[in-house]
Amino acid sequence: MAKIGIGSWAGKISVRLARGEVKFTIGEDENGDYKIDVTLPGALRTAKIKFMNLKEEEDGKTISGEGTISVLPGRKLTGAFTFEEDTFTGEIKAPVVGHIKITDGHRIA
């Protein structure tokens, strides 16, 4: 079965520390599990995000999971990304920051 969301994507976020374009690449690791690499804008551009427990939801369009971010050590993030062909919507729930919506999501070359 083909995995959803494989490729490079971009969208917009607007939170206190970071406004602008977030870019991420979704692929597979050596075990066939999802892996996501993220580049954040603004003051968070040097922050490192690590995703784990990524899974495809039953709707066949959504990847969800947990993660950590280097600027909030020991705290967990949760998130979900829903794909429709070459577009997506996303939301991440982070401690302190709250819900971060990713808007204008689209596939990039």
Side-chain angles (χ1 to χ4, degrees), residues 1 25 30 39 48 64-65 72 77 87 95:
M1 181 171 83
T25 301
E30 58 279 352
T39 303
K48 301 293 180 210
S64 65
L72 295 171
L77 312 172
T87 64

Side-chain angles (χ1 to χ4, degrees), residues 1-6 26-28 32 34 56-57 60-63:
M1 181 171 83
K3 295 204 177 258
I4 59 171
I6 300 293
I26 301 174
E28 292 181 71
Y34 282 106
E56 187 175 316
E57 296 294 333
K61 298 178 181 181
T62 303
I63 299 171

Side-chain angles (χ1 to χ4, degrees), residues 34-72:
Y34 282 106
K35 71 175 185 173
I36 301 177
D37 296 314
V38 179
T39 303
L40 297 169
L44 294 177
R45 76 177 158 274
T46 60
K48 301 293 180 210
I49 295 180
K50 179 181 179 187
F51 286 98
M52 58 223 139
N53 302 323
L54 292 168
K55 65 179 182 178
E56 187 175 316
E57 296 294 333
E58 289 184 21
D59 66 5
K61 298 178 181 181
T62 303
I63 299 171
S64 65
E66 301 174 329
T68 59
I69 186 167
S70 59
V71 295
L72 295 171

Side-chain angles (χ1 to χ4, degrees), residues 9-12 24 84 86-90 102-107:
W9 302 86
K12 294 179 183 171
F24 59 99
E84 290 284 343
D86 289 337
T87 64
F88 79 95
T89 58
I102 301 172
T103 60
D104 297 328
H106 59 279
R107 186 181 297 274

